[in-house]
Amino acid sequence: MKNSITSTTQDPSLPQLLGVTCSPPDQPMTSSPSVVVFPPEVQAAIEAVLPSNDPLDTPDLDVVQYINKLFPTEQSLAGLDETMSDLNCQVVSIEDDMRDMVRSQTAVGGDAAAALEEAQTAIIQLFGQIRDIKNKAGESESMVKEITRDIKQLDTAKKNLTSAITTLNHLHMLVRGTATLTQLTHSRQYGEAALLLQGLLEVLSHFKNYQNIAQIKELSDQVESLKRELGDQIIKDFEAGLTGENSGAAGGSKQLAEACLVVSVLEPRVKRSLMSWFIQLQMKEYTILFTTGEDDAWLDKVDRRYNWLKKHLIEFEERFGPLFPPDWEMSERIAAEFCRVTRGDLGRLLKQRQAEVDTKLLLHAIQKTAAFESLLSRRFSGVTLNTSTQLETINNTRGEIGVSTNPFGEPVDEFSLTSNSYQAINLTPFKGIISQCFEPYLHIYLEAQDRNLAEMISRFAGDLSSQGAAPAPDLGEGSPVLASCGDLFVFYRKCLVQCSELSTGQPMLALATLFKKNLREYTSRVLVASLPKIGNSAGGSLQLPAMSQLSQLKDLSQLSQATTGILANFSSLLKEGETVRFSAADQVVICSCLVTVEYCLDTTTQLEDKMKQKVETGLAEQISFSGELDMFHSVTGNCVGLLVQELDCACEQGLVSMGRVNWSAVEQVGDQSLYVSQLVQAMRGMVPRLRECLQTSRKYFTQFCIKFVSSFIPKFISNLYKCKPVGTVGAEQLLLDTHSLKTVLVDLPSLVEAGQVKPVGRRAPQAFTKVVVKGMTRAEMILKVVMSPLEPARAFVEQYVRLVQDTDGAELSKLLEMKGVKRSEQTLYLEMYRETQSAVAGGGAGAVPGGSIPGSPLHGGQQEQSRIAKLEKLIKNRL
C-alpha cells in the first residue's frame, strides 16, 4: 500500500521527507494513528512508476467498504485473524523497504561529495599539465628562432644581392642604350632606334623610384631629350621628304616608314602633330580646287567633291599606304577630315546662296551625299570618329514591294527585325557626317512637297468633276478604292522615305504636320466632294475651306478649327432626308466613298506607326493622327447615314399606303397587304446593290443594316398608331403583315432581288437580329393588345401591361384611339393603368405581372386569347 498508510510510529520526519501531510481521520480519536496524504503530483508520479491494482493503493480508499468486501458475512469472520496477520506482515515489509530507501539515499549523498572532491583534484592536475606544455612550447619556439636566424640573414642577403645585380644590369643597359640611341638618332637609323627606344623606356620604368639619385636623374633627362630630338627630327624629315625636291620618291622611303615606328613609341602628341600635318598636306589640293568662288564648289557639282576623295584615296594607298602603320588608319582619318571640311564649306555656301537653292538641287545634293556617306561607312570602321556608335536603321527600301495595296503595310515573308538580325546590323559611323549641314534647309523640301500635294489634290478634284459617277463594281469584287487615294498614299510613302534619309529629327515632325493637313484637304475636296449633290439648286453643294486657307495655317489646332466645317456641312446632308433621293449610280458613289475612307483609315494607322519607327525616339510621342482618324470615322458614319436615309425614303411610300387603308372595314384576313409588298420591293431594289458594292467592307454593310432597322421599326410602329380606327379583323391583318415584314427584316442582309437565288454561307449578325426581333416583337404585342376587347376595361389594361414592355400612358392612349375610343372616354382606362402601375411599383396585391387570376376580368377573356392563338397558327402555316 503506497498512498494510504497507517503509521505505527509517530515519526514526523517521514512525511516531511516524502512531502506529504498528515490529516486526522474522519472520526478522530486520541490514540488513532495519522493518515498520510500525498500531493496530487506525487500521487501521479507514484502511479506512473509503480502501477498497482491493489485497492489499498487507491487514494480514495473507503475502509468500511473494503472491510465489508473482505467479510461480507458473519461466517467469513472466521478468517479475521489470518487477514490481520497478512496485513501486519505487509505493513512491516513496507516499513522495511522505506527504511532501506532512506538509508540508501543518505549513502548516495556521501558518495556524491567524495566524487566532487575527486573531480576538483583532477582539474588541478590538468591545469598543471597544461602549464608545463605551454612552457615547453615557448622553449621550442626560442630554439627554432635561434636555429633559423642565420638562414633568414642569408635569404635577405641573397635578395638584396639579386636586386643589386639586376639594377646594375638595368643601369648598364640604360647607359649603353642611351649612348647607342644617340648615335642611331644622329645617323637616322630609325628601325633600330624604334626597338632600342622601346626597350629603354621599359628599363627606365624600373628606375622611377631612384629619381632622387643624380646619375639616374641625368640619364632620365637625357632619354627625354633624345625623345624630343627624335620627334622634331622625324617631322623635319617628313617635311623634307614630302614637300622637298625628292618628294616624288618619298612614298617608298623605307626610312620614313621606320620613322613612323619610332613615332608610335614616342608621346601621342608627336603622333597627333605628324598626322595633322600630313592630313592638312593631303587636303591642300582639295581646299584650292573647291574654294567658295570656284564653279565646282556649288551643290549641282557636289559629286565632284566625292569623286576627288575617291581618286585621292586610291593614290594615297598606292603611294603612302606602306609608309604608315595600319593601326594609324590614315585613310579613314583623311576621309574624316575631308567630311569635316566639306560640311563646313557646304554650310557656308548654303548660307550665302540660300536664295539659289531649290528642291531639285537640294535633293540632288542630299542624295549624292547620302550615297557617299554610305560608301564611307562600308569602307571604314569609324574607329577614329566620335560618331561611330550610331546604329544603322533597316534599309528604307527593303521590303517595300508587297502584295498589299497599302504602301505602309508590312510585306509578308519579307525581312523583319528579330533578335538575330538586330545583332547583324552594321554600324554607319559616317551617316550624317556631311548631310547634317542640309538639315536647316529642309524646309525648302517640305514646302515643295506641300506644293506638289496641293497640285495633286487639285488634279484629283478636277478629274473627279470631269469623270462623273464611279463605275459599277465588278461582280464579287465590290466597289474599288478611288485611284486618287492610292496615288496620294504612294506619294506620302515616297516623301517619308526621302525625308527619313535626310533627317529623323524635327523635319519628320514637320512632315507629319504636312501629311495631316493634306489628309483633311483630300477628305474635303475629293472624298466629300465626290458624294452626290443635295437638292436641285447650286447652293446645295458643300462649302469647303479653300486650300489656300489651309496652307497658311501652321498650328494644328488652327488647322482643326478651319476644317471643322467639313463634317458640319457634311452632316447637314442627313437633315433633309424627306427631300433627298439618290439614284443607283449615286448609291454606288457613296459605297465607293465608304470603301475609300476605310482604306484611308487603315493606311493612316500604318503611316503613323511607320513614322514613329523612323523618327528619333524622343520625338515619337509627338506624332499622332488621331484627329484625322476621327474625321474618317465621322465620314464613314455620315455615308452610312446617307444610305439609310435613302432606303428610308424608298420605304416612305409603303408606310403612307399603310395609313391610307380603312382598317375598320377589313372583313377577312388574307395574304400580306399591298404596302408590305411595296416595302419589300423597296428593300430588294437597294439592299442587294449595297451588299455587292460593300463586298470588301462587310462591317459597313452591317452598320447600314443595323442603322436602317433601328430607324425603320420606330417609324413603322409610329405609322401603326396612325391606323385608326382598327377593327378586330383589321388588327389581325396588321399582325399578319407585321409578322411577314419581320421575316423579311431578319433576312435583310441576305435579301436578293426577285427571281435571284439567295446567297448561302452567311448568317445575319447576332446584334442585327436582336434589334429586329426586339423591335418587331413590340409591334406584334401592340397589335395583340389592339385585338383584345375593350370590355371589361381592367382586362384590356392588364392585357396591355402583360404583353407590352416599357408601357406608357401616352402609348395606351394611342392604342385606345386605334380601338376608336375618344380621348374624353379614356379616363377610366388611364386611371386603371395608373393604379396597376402603382400596385406593381409598390408590390401590392393588385399587381398582375405574369397573368390573370381566377375571377378577374382578364380571366374571363380567355375566348379572345384563343382567337389570337388561332391567328398566330394561321400566320405560321402561310409563312
Side-chain angles (χ1 to χ4, degrees):
M1 184 173 60
K2 299 185 295 293
N3 49 11
S4 298
I5 302 175
T6 304
S7 178
T8 57
T9 64
Q10 300 297 327
D11 189 1
S13 62
L14 181 58
Q16 295 175 358
L17 180 62
L18 296 177
V20 300
T21 59
C22 297
S23 62
D26 295 336
Q27 297 177 356
M29 295 185 303
T30 57
S31 61
S32 176
S34 61
V35 178
V36 179
V37 179
F38 295 105
E41 58 272 13
V42 175
Q43 182 65 37
I46 293 174
E47 291 177 356
V49 176
L50 300 173
S52 175
N53 295 326
D54 192 348
L56 295 175
D57 292 334
T58 58
D60 54 347
L61 175 65
D62 189 348
V63 178
V64 175
Q65 184 179 359
Y66 178 71
I67 294 174
N68 290 334
K69 185 179 180 181
L70 290 177
F71 306 103
T73 61
E74 292 182 0
Q75 290 79 8
S76 61
L77 292 176
L80 178 60
D81 294 337
E82 184 179 355
T83 301
M84 291 294 293
S85 176
D86 291 340
L87 292 176
N88 288 330
C89 290
Q90 290 182 16
V91 170
V92 172
S93 176
I94 291 174
E95 288 181 349
D96 292 340
D97 292 341
M98 291 175 62
R99 189 179 299 107
D100 293 340
M101 291 175 61
V102 171
R103 290 176 180 175
S104 64
Q105 293 298 323
T106 303
V108 169
D111 295 341
L116 179 60
E117 184 178 356
E118 183 179 355
Q120 291 177 348
T121 303
I123 291 173
I124 293 173
Q125 293 176 358
L126 181 61
F127 272 109
Q129 294 176 0
I130 293 174
R131 187 165 46 253
D132 294 341
I133 293 173
K134 183 177 181 181
N135 294 334
K136 290 180 180 180
E139 294 175 358
S140 300
E141 183 180 1
S142 301
M143 185 181 299
V144 170
K145 287 182 179 180
E146 187 68 24
I147 294 173
T148 59
R149 181 181 295 113
D150 295 338
I151 298 176
K152 287 184 178 180
Q153 290 179 354
L154 291 176
D155 288 342
T156 303
K158 179 181 178 182
K159 181 179 179 181
N160 294 336
L161 182 60
T162 302
S163 177
I165 293 173
T166 303
T167 304
L168 288 175
N169 287 335
H170 288 164
L171 182 60
H172 180 67
M173 294 170 59
L174 181 61
V175 172
R176 292 188 58 186
T178 303
T180 305
L181 181 60
T182 304
Q183 296 176 1
L184 295 176
T185 302
H186 293 160
S187 61
R188 286 180 166 77
Q189 298 179 18
Y190 296 125
E192 298 179 5
L195 298 175
L196 181 58
L197 178 60
Q198 186 174 3
L200 280 178
L201 295 178
E202 293 179 359
V203 171
L204 192 60
S205 64
H206 294 285
F207 291 95
K208 61 182 179 180
N209 296 328
Y210 303 98
Q211 293 297 320
N212 55 344
I213 302 175
Q215 292 80 358
I216 301 298
K217 179 65 174 174
E218 182 180 354
L219 289 173
S220 178
D221 294 341
Q222 188 175 355
V223 171
E224 293 296 328
S225 176
L226 285 174
K227 289 168 61 179
R228 290 192 295 271
E229 183 179 351
L230 274 172
D232 296 339
Q233 182 175 300
I234 289 173
I235 291 177
K236 291 180 181 179
D237 290 346
F238 264 90
E239 292 176 353
L242 299 180
T243 60
E245 296 179 357
N246 298 326
S247 60
S253 174
K254 181 180 178 181
Q255 186 183 47
L256 293 182
E258 293 175 347
C260 290
L261 299 178
V262 177
V263 173
S264 298
V265 181
L266 297 176
E267 288 85 355
R269 174 187 55 81
V270 180
K271 179 180 177 181
R272 289 195 300 268
S273 177
L274 178 60
M275 289 191 300
S276 177
W277 173 83
F278 181 80
I279 292 173
Q280 294 299 327
L281 178 65
Q282 299 300 309
M283 295 297 298
K284 186 175 182 180
E285 177 186 357
Y286 174 74
T287 55
I288 295 175
L289 290 175
F290 297 94
T291 189
T292 304
E294 297 295 330
D295 294 338
D296 292 343
W298 188 227
L299 297 182
D300 57 344
K301 299 176 182 178
V302 69
D303 52 335
R304 295 188 180 182
R305 293 174 178 265
Y306 308 139
N307 291 333
W308 178 89
L309 180 64
K310 297 174 186 177
K311 180 180 178 181
H312 186 77
L313 286 179
I314 294 174
E315 295 177 355
F316 169 79
E317 294 290 347
E318 292 176 354
R319 292 184 58 193
F320 303 107
L323 187 63
F324 297 98
D327 61 322
W328 283 27
E329 300 287 352
M330 287 304 296
S331 296
E332 181 176 321
R333 294 181 185 277
I334 292 174
E337 179 64 17
F338 169 85
C339 293
R340 187 190 65 81
V341 173
T342 303
R343 182 176 68 245
D345 290 347
L346 293 178
R348 287 188 292 271
L349 280 171
L350 288 169
K351 187 176 182 180
Q352 295 172 4
R353 305 170 62 178
Q354 182 176 355
E356 303 177 27
V357 180
D358 57 10
T359 305
K360 183 178 180 180
L361 182 61
L362 184 64
L363 282 180
H364 168 76
I366 293 177
Q367 291 172 354
K368 294 293 183 180
T369 303
F372 177 69
E373 292 172 348
S374 177
L375 176 65
L376 292 182
S377 297
R378 293 193 299 270
R379 171 63 179 83
F380 302 114
S381 62
V383 294
T384 63
L385 300 177
N386 294 329
T387 59
S388 61
T389 58
Q390 294 178 340
L391 268 179
E392 180 183 20
T393 55
I394 301 300
N395 193 325
N396 292 324
T397 60
R398 187 170 187 176
E400 291 172 356
I401 301 177
V403 179
S404 174
T405 59
N406 188 342
F408 303 99
E410 295 295 337
V412 181
D413 297 331
E414 288 291 336
F415 179 82
S416 60
L417 185 62
T418 62
S419 58
N420 295 330
S421 61
Y422 181 82
Q423 300 297 331
I425 294 177
N426 296 324
L427 294 174
T428 56
F430 285 87
K431 184 177 181 180
I433 192 172
I434 300 177
S435 58
Q436 59 180 303
C437 68
F438 298 110
E439 186 165 336
Y441 306 94
L442 287 181
H443 63 88
I444 300 175
Y445 166 78
L446 294 175
E447 292 171 357
Q449 300 307 319
D450 193 7
R451 291 191 295 271
N452 292 336
L453 284 170
E455 295 174 359
M456 180 182 293
I457 293 175
S458 298
R459 186 174 71 253
F460 292 159
D463 294 343
L464 180 66
S465 60
S466 61
Q467 292 176 0
D474 296 333
L475 183 63
E477 295 184 359
S479 294
V481 178
L482 292 180
S484 60
C485 184
D487 295 342
L488 176 67
F489 280 104
V490 168
F491 187 80
Y492 271 20
R493 179 185 170 279
K494 178 182 177 181
C495 294
L496 178 60
V497 172
Q498 287 181 345
C499 189
S500 62
E501 292 176 351
L502 306 181
S503 174
T504 58
Q506 291 295 331
M508 287 288 284
L509 298 181
L511 183 65
T513 303
L514 179 65
F515 284 168
K516 289 189 281 189
K517 182 185 76 171
N518 285 278
L519 278 177
R520 290 179 177 270
E521 182 70 8
Y522 178 79
T523 302
S524 64
R525 299 188 60 190
V526 179
L527 292 181
V528 178
S530 67
L531 297 173
K533 296 299 184 287
I534 308 303
N536 299 324
S537 62
S541 60
L542 292 175
Q543 299 297 326
L544 303 173
M547 184 63 185
S548 59
Q549 297 175 358
L550 295 178
S551 60
Q552 295 174 359
L553 301 177
K554 302 299 183 180
D555 191 0
L556 283 180
S557 60
Q558 298 178 1
L559 176 63
S560 177
Q561 294 173 4
T563 56
T564 301
I566 297 175
L567 298 179
N569 294 332
F570 183 36
S571 300
S572 67
L573 302 180
L574 305 178
K575 298 179 181 179
E576 302 176 359
E578 296 182 356
T579 60
V580 175
R581 293 305 302 271
F582 298 117
S583 64
D586 293 339
Q587 297 170 21
V588 173
V589 170
I590 296 175
C591 291
S592 178
C593 181
L594 261 177
V595 175
T596 303
V597 174
E598 182 186 23
Y599 175 81
C600 292
L601 275 169
D602 297 338
T603 312
T604 303
T605 303
Q606 299 273 353
L607 172 62
E608 180 180 355
D609 296 339
K610 212 69 174 178
M611 295 194 74
K612 288 183 177 181
Q613 293 176 7
K614 292 183 177 296
V615 77
E616 295 177 1
T617 305
L619 303 176
E621 296 299 327
Q622 301 183 33
I623 295 179
S624 175
F625 286 79
S626 58
E628 287 65 34
L629 295 177
D630 293 341
M631 177 184 65
F632 288 135
H633 283 298
S634 299
V635 173
T636 57
N638 288 326
C639 286
V640 172
L642 290 177
L643 296 175
V644 171
Q645 175 181 291
E646 168 58 25
L647 187 53
D648 281 342
C649 292
C651 295
E652 189 66 26
Q653 182 62 36
L655 296 177
V656 172
S657 299
M658 181 179 69
R660 292 175 179 174
V661 177
N662 185 6
W663 294 104
S664 62
V666 177
E667 299 178 353
Q668 185 179 359
V669 177
D671 292 335
Q672 65 183 22
S673 302
L674 177 62
Y675 77 91
V676 177
S677 301
Q678 293 175 344
L679 293 174
V680 174
Q681 183 180 0
M683 296 177 191
R684 289 182 184 275
M686 182 173 176
V687 172
R689 184 186 306 109
L690 298 185
R691 183 177 62 247
E692 182 65 26
C693 292
L694 299 177
Q695 187 73 25
T696 58
S697 302
R698 292 289 301 180
K699 63 180 180 180
Y700 293 118
F701 179 69
T702 303
Q703 288 183 18
F704 160 77
C705 293
I706 293 177
K707 287 187 176 181
F708 169 71
V709 296
S710 300
S711 172
F712 172 78
I713 293 177
K715 287 185 179 180
F716 177 75
I717 295 176
S718 178
N719 279 271
L720 282 179
Y721 296 145
K722 298 178 182 179
C723 299
K724 53 186 178 181
V726 179
T728 303
V729 179
E732 293 177 358
Q733 181 64 48
L734 281 172
L735 181 59
L736 175 62
D737 297 341
T738 301
H739 194 85
S740 301
L741 193 58
K742 176 182 178 181
T743 304
V744 174
L745 289 177
V746 168
D747 293 335
L748 183 68
S750 57
L751 199 64
V752 296
E753 297 180 4
Q756 294 186 356
V757 181
K758 181 179 179 180
V760 296
R762 284 188 179 272
R763 299 183 59 185
Q766 186 176 2
F768 168 79
T769 305
K770 184 177 180 181
V771 173
V772 174
V773 171
K774 182 179 179 181
M776 297 305 291
T777 300
R778 181 178 182 85
E780 292 175 344
M781 294 300 104
I782 288 174
L783 291 174
K784 288 182 179 181
V785 174
V786 174
M787 291 170 58
S788 302
L790 287 172
E791 298 298 335
R794 183 170 296 278
F796 183 83
V797 173
E798 290 178 355
Q799 178 80 334
Y800 170 67
V801 174
R802 185 173 66 88
L803 294 180
V804 181
Q805 295 182 353
D806 301 328
T807 59
D808 181 68
E811 184 180 46
L812 177 59
S813 178
K814 294 178 181 178
L815 296 183
L816 291 172
E817 290 180 0
M818 292 178 67
K819 296 287 289 183
V821 180
K822 298 180 180 180
R823 286 188 176 273
S824 59
E825 301 173 357
Q826 297 177 4
T827 306
L828 176 62
Y829 296 91
L830 295 177
E831 185 65 29
M832 290 182 180
Y833 169 74
R834 285 191 287 269
E835 293 177 358
T836 303
Q837 291 299 102
S838 300
V840 172
V848 284
S852 63
I853 59 176
S856 66
L858 184 60
H859 184 70
Q862 297 297 329
Q863 184 177 2
E864 184 67 24
Q865 295 297 325
S866 63
R867 186 177 182 184
I868 296 177
K870 291 180 181 179
L871 178 61
E872 291 178 348
K873 185 177 180 181
L874 174 63
I875 293 173
K876 292 180 180 178
N877 292 334
R878 292 190 176 183
L879 298 179

